Amino acid sequence: MTFTRRQFAGLTLAATATAALGATPALAGSDVRKGTLSGRQGYNVTGTVKVKKVDGKTKVVLADDYVFDPAKNPPDIKIGFGSGEKYAKGSKIHDKLTVKKGEATFEVPAGIDTDKYDELYIYCEQFTVILAVAPLK
């Protein structure tokens, strides 16, 4: 793509004005994907999740509205990624999810390319059961 000097100057002014007003430029939106968890297999799991790229690292954020079914306690809860309600082996981001309510942030290991997946999962690794899914947009 080629810009004229006038177009480039206009883009520069727009970016400067946006930054001065404290807003995030539209181009930065690709660094954050969001989704809403919904339970599976009889589990009541709700809340917002974000997958963010910050300073070369990818993070999964469970928002403060996140709640994992308080009536259930599966033995081996994990967070991972996949598509089409199929968990992708090798996409696990931590050893065990112990947070049942509220905000939490997890760093995604460098070898996992989250852009390849369109869903985030909370699942029980021991029994290979998906407990909640959040489609990411």
Side-chain angles (χ1 to χ4, degrees):
M1 175 180 271
T2 305
F3 293 104
T4 65
R5 281 186 176 175
R6 181 173 285 178
Q7 289 170 322
F8 182 77
L11 288 172
T12 303
L13 285 172
T16 302
T18 300
L21 293 172
T24 304
L27 297 174
S30 63
D31 289 341
V32 177
R33 296 193 299 158
K34 288 180 167 182
T36 301
L37 286 163
S38 62
R40 299 291 189 273
Q41 305 295 323
Y43 282 81
N44 184 18
V45 183
T46 59
T48 306
V49 299
K50 293 180 187 176
V51 179
K52 308 189 320 183
K53 294 184 181 183
V54 180
D55 297 328
K57 296 182 180 183
T58 303
K59 299 185 182 223
V60 169
V61 178
L62 302 175
D64 60 356
D65 64 346
Y66 162 72
V67 178
F68 187 90
D69 197 331
K72 301 201 177 181
N73 194 23
D76 196 22
I77 306 171
K78 309 289 171 112
I79 295 176
F81 294 91
S83 297
E85 299 234 3
K86 291 192 181 227
Y87 168 72
K89 290 195 186 267
S91 72
K92 174 175 67 175
I93 66 168
H94 61 83
D95 289 330
K96 186 169 184 177
L97 178 63
T98 58
V99 178
K100 298 265 189 151
K101 183 177 182 180
E103 189 171 343
T105 301
F106 305 91
E107 190 170 317
V108 177
I112 298 174
D113 179 5
T114 60
D115 291 336
K116 293 185 344 184
Y117 309 111
D118 60 5
E119 294 170 329
L120 179 133
Y121 299 109
I122 295 179
Y123 66 101
C124 176
E125 187 172 48
Q126 181 176 342
F127 295 108
T128 318
V129 175
I130 294 173
L131 308 174
V133 177
L136 298 171
K137 295 181 184 186

